[in-house]
Amino acid sequence: MIEISDLTVRFGGVTPIDGVSLRFPGGTCGLIGPNGAGKTTLFNVLSGFVSPTSGSVRAFGDDLLAMPHYRRARWGLRRTFQTEQAIEALSVFDNVAMVHEHTGGRRSRRRREVLDAIGLVGLEVDPGELVGTLGARERRLVEIARAVVGEPRVVLLDEPAAGLPEEETEHLGRMIRRIPGERGALVVLVDHDMSLVSACCEITAVLDFGHLIASGPTPEVLRDERVRRAYLGTEEEL
Amino acid sequence: MGAPPSSDGSRAPARPLPGAGVERRTVAEGAGVAVFLALALFGVPALRNGYWELVLQTSAIYTIVALSLALLLGRVGMISLGQVALLAIGGWIALRLGFATTMPFLVVVFVTGLITGVLGTLIGLPALRLSGLHLALITLMFAAAITLLLEATQFPNGGGGFLGHSVLTTAPSVLHRPGFASDDAAYYRLVVVATGLMFLLVVAHVRSRAGRAWAAIRQSEAAALAAGVNVTLYKLWALALASFMTGVAGGLLAASGGGLTVYQFPTQNSIILLAVVLMGGIFSLWGPVVAGLLFEALPALLRTWGLPADLLTILFGLGVLQVQLTAAAGLASQVPRDLARLARLLGGAMGRRRGQELPG
Ligand SMILES: Nc1ncnc2c1ncn2[C@@H]1O[C@H](COP(=O)(O)OP(=O)(O)OP(=O)(O)O)[C@@H](O)[C@H]1O
Ligand SMILES: [Mg+2]
């Protein structure tokens, strides 16, 4: 469970997160909102790249903000990036293995757990292949495999379906739904594809201009009048 | 929701790791390295040409310095323009230890590497938060400061005090060679072996946990942090390793020829070193070898042909441009790629001809 209390982030004159209090109880939770709503900034606070002006974040009882950022991965916090960041110079296997070895994964179990993560995301390439030679879809899957290897407790996925065709998104959704059960991790999914969010998330929170405007069971949230208004005039469909 | 439960790794692909193509490449590369080492160790001394032996010996030493810069630049993404200054510092420390103690030569060189490693790391410490151009400028300033400092202190030549330099003697600042490598050919071989060891050290690092962390840092510090990499620690480790190797090179240089003088380490050499390292290529391990030859052997070649040394600066400038425009990975990877393309062309032509003879 993640418990965010009264979180505020300021960059100079911009306030991308403004007094947000929010709970992600478990399973796969959605986090949506129009462009610039503050979703990525919230992830950056959780991973330690952005220090909030005020507020607190507790995850499974631990004070997340008190940990140095590189320590959070060892604690079990994993993430993918909006612009995919799989390491091009390393093979698929080494990409996943390096997360395993830097997060306290046991050496004797490395090979099996790395191949297990590669299998979980459904990557069907030679694990010895360099990531720099892979296509966009496969690189995204490598990044997700990095996020689920070993013993993750919280997995943050920032727009994993961006740029994927519809069939691929369905496959992705099936895979994301398996993460909480198989890895025992809480997943937070940010995406603009509402069918993916509906398919994966039982509960969803909505940010707009840094404010939490709704949260609860996904179908109710998507019917909420304030949410519909926030999306009015944007290209997206609810 | 009906995903089959599976946590025993049975979904893991059964393919071997790494791919068979990688193994074949490794064998070919190993053979290339063996031939090159044999030529360097036995071919060059067999020529019995003292001048070129000395030139190639210095090339090998600068290959180590180039290797340290290529490691920082190509593996971690840090620019340093201070490696030549660190080389001078290594030379100074080795001479100081050599005159002040009775440590055997190899120990002097090793300890020099360790001390230079610590110094290089300390100097890099404030520069860690900087990147790109800022880091380059700071390290260049450091190089200029060291050049000035050395002009004041000179290299130790057996004098007293902390600086160990005496103006009363004309004794050269030269480190005593070990008994087993006192003649020129033997010392040349020692340098080649030491250079080989530095390459092994780098390969061992690149293939380990540190190398994988560096690859992540070079591409994106955010991705490295999110993977649990202690970015500061691994950057410091890269600085320490590069400085250690440069210190070792300084120790080797202190015993290589007629002794060290401050004129050997002008500040602009740091920039020329960067140029030749970029020309050689920062991603291939052959790159630093090419860079060492460009840095030392090419000027010697121009000298024997009676051409002006300034021509070099122009050549290096054009060379960097050419490499950046056509083959950003450097000469060391361009040449094999061209050869491979040629081989494929030839192989393809022959394969087609043979194919025609086969029954359809
Ligand atoms: N480092 C930063 N400095 C200044 N402003 C920033 C910074 N990072 C984000 N912002 C601003 O904060 C606001 C929220 O950005 P954020 O990236 O969190 O939105 P988002 O919800 O992820 O949007 P999108 O759906 O487009 O990814 C934006 O107005 C953005 O310009
Ligand atoms: Mg975003």
Side-chain angles (χ1 to χ4, degrees), chain A residues 148-190:
Chain A
V148 298
V149 71
E151 290 170 359
R153 297 166 83 177
V154 174
V155 175
L156 311 173
L157 302 174
D158 199 348
E159 302 198 20
L164 290 189
E166 212 165 306
E167 327 78 80
E168 309 274 9
T169 305
E170 276 169 31
H171 160 84
L172 188 75
R174 275 194 298 278
M175 185 262 284
I176 292 174
R177 278 201 302 270
R178 282 167 59 184
I179 298 176
E182 287 200 23
R183 310 269 78 180
L186 158 64
V187 178
V188 183
L189 171 66
V190 164

Side-chain angles (χ1 to χ4, degrees), chain A residues 11-12 14-17 33-42 44 50 82 158-159 190 192 207:
Chain A
F11 296 124
V14 194
T15 310
I17 297 186
N35 290 113
K39 308 178 295 288
T40 298
T41 305
L42 183 64
N44 284 341
V50 164
Q82 191 163 349
D158 199 348
E159 302 198 20
V190 164
H192 288 287
L207 288 178

